[in-house]
């Protein structure tokens, strides 16, 4: 089992940047694929980005946009989400999640993740 703790959220003006961190404890982070999701008030939880357990492959909700970058440091058991050029519509609670690798699981589907953090609030003012 693994525990996830997000940090790095806060209030930022439009156009600004934030870096979210997700610290894992328990089993080694390298055991899991990791993802970031977000949920805005009144909306469903939305996939943001994911990275494989070895860090070699990433996928994004909108790869063409290029504003967000997911990365991981398995030596530090930490996953990051660098967010640039933030917009008010990025305002949401951001969640880190861990997925046990298994055949057929999708890294962009929240129901395929096994463990979740408590979330960190990101608010982007206009």
């Amino acid at each position: 089992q693994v525990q996830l703790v997000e940090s790095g959220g806060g209030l930022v003006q439009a156009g600004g940047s934030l870096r979210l961190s997700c610290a894992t404890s328990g089993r080694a982070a390298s055991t899991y694929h990791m993802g970031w999701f977000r949920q805005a008030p009144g909306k469903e939880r939305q996939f943001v980005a994911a990275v494989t357990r070895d860090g070699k492959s990433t996928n994004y909700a909108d790869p063409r946009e290029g504003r967000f970058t997911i990365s991981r440091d398995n030596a530090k058991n930490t996953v990051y989400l660098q967010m640039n050029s933030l917009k008010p519509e990025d305002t949401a609670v951001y969640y880190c999640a861990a997925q046990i690798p298994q055949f057929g699981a999708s890294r962009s589907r929240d129901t395929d993740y096994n463990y979740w953090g408590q979330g960190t609030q990101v608010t982007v003012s206009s």
Side-chain angles (χ1 to χ4, degrees):
Q1 195 166 353
V2 65
Q3 293 76 44
L4 309 175
V5 179
E6 303 95 335
S7 62
L11 174 64
V12 63
Q13 288 188 332
S17 299
L18 283 174
R19 188 176 80 154
L20 305 183
S21 298
C22 174
T24 71
S25 60
R27 293 189 69 179
S30 58
T31 303
Y32 306 96
H33 300 323
M34 300 295 293
W36 285 97
F37 292 78
R38 67 185 184 185
Q39 188 166 21
K43 295 187 177 181
E44 293 188 352
R45 189 161 53 191
Q46 178 185 38
F47 170 71
V48 177
V51 60
T52 52
R53 59 179 175 170
D54 59 6
K56 293 182 179 180
S57 180
T58 58
N59 54 303
Y60 296 90
D62 189 351
R64 295 170 298 176
E65 197 172 43
R67 296 187 298 122
F68 293 178
T69 303
I70 189 171
S71 62
R72 68 189 299 161
D73 185 340
N74 284 340
K76 295 182 179 180
N77 289 317
T78 303
V79 180
Y80 305 98
L81 183 68
Q82 177 68 43
M83 306 188 294
N84 299 326
S85 302
L86 284 163
K87 305 174 182 179
E89 50 263 44
D90 294 319
T91 295
V93 177
Y94 283 71
Y95 297 92
C96 174
Q99 182 185 89
I100 299 170
Q102 52 188 312
F103 181 78
S106 169
R107 290 195 295 277
S108 62
R109 188 163 53 224
D110 59 352
T111 53
D112 284 352
Y113 281 78
N114 305 95
Y115 303 101
W116 292 84
Q118 293 299 306
T120 185
Q121 176 70 47
V122 171
T123 303
V124 185
S125 63
S126 58

